[in-house]
Amino acid sequence: CFGQVKKLMGIKSLAFYLVNEDTADFTLHTCFPASDTALVESEMDRFIEDGTFSRAVLEKKPVTASTKDYSVHFVFHVLATVSRVRGMCVAVLDGEARKIPEASLELFSILMTHCANALESFALYTQLKSANYILEEKVTQLSRSQSFLQNEVRAHKKTLGALGESESKYR
């Protein structure tokens, strides 16, 4: 993703915030290169406070912003599928946001949609794999129970047969 976005817009770094499913908080998952993590995190608090972050979540298209001194420019894009928001992509630009062609921004949106769908597919695959494992465990338990019950039925039939024999001898 970093390489594709770099081709489209000329970026210095790219960070991904993912939604924590339990708390619904956005947490920094990855930053390329890692040396820019401090810059992204320090500016993110301001972008949350001034509403830029929430605007990016709602608009579902690229949202541009810059530091207070306008020395560093950012592009935000939500990672959203049809069903939910999966995260946020934050790109630190090499130059100014206004120099990015509109076509590049459109392609960036398409790329971010595909990233969100990949995250969704991975989450669904993980859930499916977990459910499949649980199902396999239950099938194994049921097979053991079935074997145990079959042995019990055989033993019960044998006991009934012996009881019948004993009763007929007694008579």
Side-chain angles (χ1 to χ4, degrees), residues 70-85:
Y70 297 99
S71 61
V72 181
H73 300 276
F74 294 82
V75 174
F76 295 88
H77 201 293
V78 68
L79 300 172
T81 63
V82 175
S83 61
R84 66 174 67 158
V85 172

Side-chain angles (χ1 to χ4, degrees), residues 102-141:
E102 190 64 33
S104 293
L105 292 174
E106 291 294 326
L107 290 171
F108 179 58
S109 282
I110 292 169
L111 180 61
M112 291 303 105
T113 301
H114 285 290
C115 286
N117 287 329
L119 286 170
E120 181 90 359
S121 293
F122 178 75
L124 292 173
Y125 173 76
T126 303
Q127 286 177 347
L128 185 61
K129 189 175 178 181
S130 175
N132 195 25
Y133 176 77
I134 291 168
L135 187 59
E136 285 175 357
E137 286 295 313
K138 288 184 178 182
V139 166
T140 302
Q141 288 174 355

Side-chain angles (χ1 to χ4, degrees), residues 28-65:
L28 181 62
H29 184 267
T30 308
C31 186
F32 301 101
S35 58
D36 285 348
T37 301
L39 166 69
V40 171
E41 285 184 319
S42 66
E43 290 299 317
M44 196 54 60
D45 291 335
R46 191 176 67 79
F47 292 134
I48 290 170
E49 286 178 24
D50 71 10
T52 302
F53 193 88
S54 60
R55 187 166 48 100
V57 171
L58 295 174
E59 288 196 22
K60 296 184 181 176
K61 65 180 185 174
V63 173
T64 59

